[in-house]
Amino acid sequence: MQPLDAIMFLSGMFTGSVYAGGITAVMLNIPGSPGAVATTLDGYPMTKQGRQNEALGAGLMSSVIGCLASYLVVFFIIQSMGNFVLLFQAPEMLMLAVFALSIISMIKGNLSKSLIAGFLGLLLGSIGATAYGRERGTFGQIELYEGIQIVPALMGLLAISELFYLVQQKFIVGDNTTHIQRSFKDFVKGCMLVIKQKINTIRSIIIGIFIGVLPAAGATVASLVSYSQAQTFSKNKENFGKGEDSGLIAAETANSSSEGGGMATMLTFGIPGGSATAVLMAAFMIHGLTPGPYLIRDHMDMTYAVIIGNIIQAFLLLFIGFIFVWYFSKLVLAPARLIIPIVAIFSLLGAFSVRGIYLDVVLTLGFAVLALVMRKLDYPLIAVLLGLILGATIDGEMTRTLLIYEGQYLSLLERPIFTTMFIITIILFTLPWVQKRWAKRKQKRNEGGVS
Amino acid sequence: MIDVPALMDGLQIVFSWQVLLFIILGLVVGVILGAVPGVSGALGIA
């Protein structure tokens, strides 16, 4: 096999899997990958409302446009990407993770419950070895030294816990499926939503590429930040989490466009943006191509071939994705008694497959019970997940920042990117509280006027 | 800035039936693997 054949095959797998993670997120509330967590927030409620064709269409079109746009941008900037990425050091990465965490304050419902759930997630995320190599919260379990893996948490909190509720119904969409049909018209309607929501799509592409370019940030952070921004600028804020299509579009577009950004960092600097690009980088090396400045200097033709190949992939994804989801959308018509055991087995196998450790299966079941209790008490599950996913990054980057700036914390404010992100994060965290107070005051004034 | 000669070479390499076939194959395998819970892109590529 020629090097480019192999690289294009693997990068095709990368593109296909990034997209497909969103299909199960929409249909079953199971994110195929952590990057699809934000997709579940509005994608699954859309399916429950019988709008799965629309959701799948919007998901596919968002992924295609996100992927296509990101590689087009990379095509033009790859030679002059310059040193911008290098401006992001520990303090900026810390602020980026905290910034992504600000989505907690926007989750519908009780703000204090969201914050408590978020802190629980952060606590769980801090389990494992510290930056100094000390154990924390492992209770002597060597398997917990690497911390709690995201996949068991995803499977337990979202997939298995959903099954407890699904068992009470005949189908995912309720007990009646006579009104549910595969509809090409609705699918196209979903695709068109992405084109209609130009500003949301463009904003999500920019967020996706920007965060994708940063090493170690990746698709998960990109989709979460994009989702929170879509909510902030939306006129239908209260619909988010209840099946708002702009939330789904923002999450899926950013998730896919972060792929191009990650690939750009890998090709130009030889730094993988996430685990998938790390494995892809190893594949490049196996075939005699070392990503980094020398690849750009010595094999620019190959670099262009990879980028153009990925642009072709985006077009092909539209057709392949459509064929796949056309048959996959039939899943809503499958009886729950059939879906429940299959999803349970795949979820537990998925959790086990990450490290091949039985503790991950136990953790999955533990997270499922935690989710059940939290749902009963009306605590948002997504806040725990956010804390868990971002906890390890915050922990590591904070330790590094504290070490670098020991005793001179005020000089952190001399870093323009850090300071800007710090201010925006504070605004985002306090915005819901201020809005609530403002609405109350307005209501009181109106009541006073009436009396 | 675009390096035009390198771009032409790149286009020549990528537009071959073999590369296109591998792209399609990769996408199909990726979509199937990605739809399986727990099997991420990284695991699939590995």
Side-chain angles (χ1 to χ4, degrees):
Chain A
M1 197 188 273
Q2 295 295 313
L4 189 68
D5 297 345
I7 288 164
M8 289 325 298
F9 175 71
L10 296 173
S11 87
M13 277 180 71
F14 180 35
T15 306
S17 63
V18 168
Y19 159 64
I23 301 175
T24 45
V26 168
M27 297 299 290
L28 299 164
N29 202 29
I30 307 171
S33 61
V37 167
T39 310
T40 59
L41 296 175
D42 283 296
Y44 189 61
M46 282 177 85
T47 298
K48 277 183 145 180
Q49 292 163 12
R51 292 167 61 205
Q52 76 282 357
N53 293 301
E54 231 178 286
L56 289 171
L60 178 61
M61 193 49 114
S62 306
S63 297
V64 169
I65 290 181
C67 184
L68 183 65
S70 70
Y71 279 107
L72 279 174
V73 170
V74 168
F75 177 80
F76 288 107
I77 65 162
I78 193 144
Q79 272 198 320
S80 52
M81 243 175 75
N83 297 321
F84 183 68
V85 176
L86 301 176
L87 291 174
F88 271 73
Q89 289 169 5
E92 284 77 18
M93 290 306 290
L94 168 68
M95 275 326 295
L96 184 71
V98 178
F99 183 62
L101 205 63
S102 69
I103 194 176
I104 287 177
S105 67
M106 292 173 192
I107 296 169
K108 66 179 168 62
N110 192 322
L111 183 63
S112 49
K113 282 188 178 181
S114 300
L115 290 174
I116 291 169
F119 275 118
L120 176 67
L122 281 174
L123 272 178
L124 291 169
S126 64
I127 288 175
T130 64
Y132 297 104
R134 286 190 200 133
E135 284 183 45
R136 186 168 52 195
T138 61
F139 297 100
Q141 295 280 332
I142 300 166
E143 290 93 342
L144 283 176
Y145 202 73
E146 292 174 356
I148 292 176
Q149 301 296 303
I150 293 164
V151 174
L154 279 179
M155 295 303 146
L157 286 172
L158 298 181
I160 307 263
S161 75
E162 186 60 32
L163 299 183
F164 292 126
Y165 286 86
L166 203 58
V167 83
Q168 298 161 19
Q169 304 177 181
K170 282 186 183 168
F171 302 94
I172 294 174
V173 286
D175 291 342
N176 187 8
T177 58
T178 47
H179 65 291
I180 303 294
Q181 275 175 349
R182 277 192 305 186
S183 162
F184 183 70
K185 203 178 147 192
D186 284 348
F187 188 85
V188 174
K189 192 180 155 194
C191 291
M192 293 312 287
L193 279 174
V194 185
I195 296 159
K196 274 182 196 163
Q197 295 180 20
K198 285 185 196 77
I199 295 172
N200 186 20
T201 308
I202 293 169
R203 185 179 49 231
S204 307
I205 290 168
I206 294 168
I207 292 172
I209 298 172
F210 176 69
I211 296 179
V213 162
L214 304 174
T220 315
V221 177
S223 58
L224 290 170
V225 170
S226 176
Y227 182 87
S228 75
Q229 291 310 299
Q231 191 174 9
T232 306
F233 292 106
S234 173
K235 286 175 187 164
N236 310 316
K237 283 187 186 67
E238 66 284 355
N239 288 348
F240 274 73
K242 295 176 188 167
E244 174 63 34
D245 43 52
S246 49
L248 167 76
I249 291 166
E252 275 296 287
T253 309
N255 182 12
S256 293
S257 54
S258 70
E259 187 193 320
M263 189 73 99
T265 311
M266 187 196 79
L267 290 171
T268 48
F269 296 102
I271 304 167
S275 51
T277 38
V279 184
L280 206 56
M281 190 170 146
F284 267 76
M285 287 165 149
I286 290 168
H287 290 92
L289 297 162
T290 308
Y294 292 114
L295 181 78
I296 304 290
R297 195 191 65 186
D298 302 333
H299 300 283
M300 198 56 205
D301 52 344
M302 205 58 162
T303 311
Y304 276 135
V306 171
I307 296 169
I308 295 163
N310 276 287
I311 292 171
I312 297 168
Q313 272 176 26
F315 284 110
L316 291 171
L317 181 66
L318 189 61
F319 300 101
I320 292 167
F322 171 70
I323 295 166
F324 192 78
V325 294
W326 186 247
Y327 291 100
F328 210 83
S329 63
K330 255 192 145 181
L331 205 71
V332 285
L333 300 172
R337 62 187 154 79
L338 208 73
I339 291 179
I340 291 166
I342 295 172
V343 171
I345 290 167
F346 269 111
S347 302
L348 292 175
L349 272 178
F352 181 73
S353 68
V354 179
R355 298 189 297 173
I357 294 171
Y358 287 108
L359 182 74
D360 286 342
V361 178
V362 178
L363 282 174
T364 306
L365 297 172
F367 274 113
V369 175
L370 174 70
L372 199 64
V373 175
M374 286 183 68
R375 277 181 166 203
K376 288 269 180 217
L377 299 173
D378 204 24
Y379 279 84
L381 295 179
I382 193 70
V384 181
L385 259 179
L386 283 172
L388 184 63
I389 290 171
L390 300 168
T393 312
I394 290 174
D395 185 22
E397 301 298 351
M398 188 186 268
T399 310
R400 244 175 285 169
T401 306
L402 292 177
L403 275 175
I404 298 167
Y405 288 89
E406 202 175 358
Q408 302 166 315
Y409 302 122
L410 276 177
S411 56
L412 272 169
L413 297 173
E414 287 167 17
R415 301 182 73 90
I417 299 172
F418 174 87
T419 312
T420 311
M421 289 176 79
F422 181 65
I423 294 166
I424 296 172
T425 307
I426 289 175
I427 293 170
L428 284 176
F429 264 112
T430 51
L431 196 66
W433 183 77
V434 173
Q435 277 176 329
K436 223 181 227 179
R437 296 267 311 211
W438 187 263
K440 262 188 187 173
R441 192 174 286 184
K442 209 175 170 185
Q443 201 182 346
K444 263 187 186 174
R445 206 179 295 159
N446 286 345
E447 280 168 4
V450 168
S451 65
Chain B
M1 222 173 77
I2 295 169
D3 183 347
V4 179
L7 175 64
M8 289 301 154
D9 288 342
L11 282 169
Q12 212 170 359
I13 304 167
V14 84
F15 279 105
S16 70
W17 66 267
Q18 230 174 316
V19 175
L20 294 175
L21 182 76
F22 278 109
I23 289 176
I24 294 170
L25 266 175
L27 279 171
V28 172
V29 176
V31 169
I32 294 168
L33 283 179
V36 178
V39 182
S40 64
L43 197 66
I45 296 167

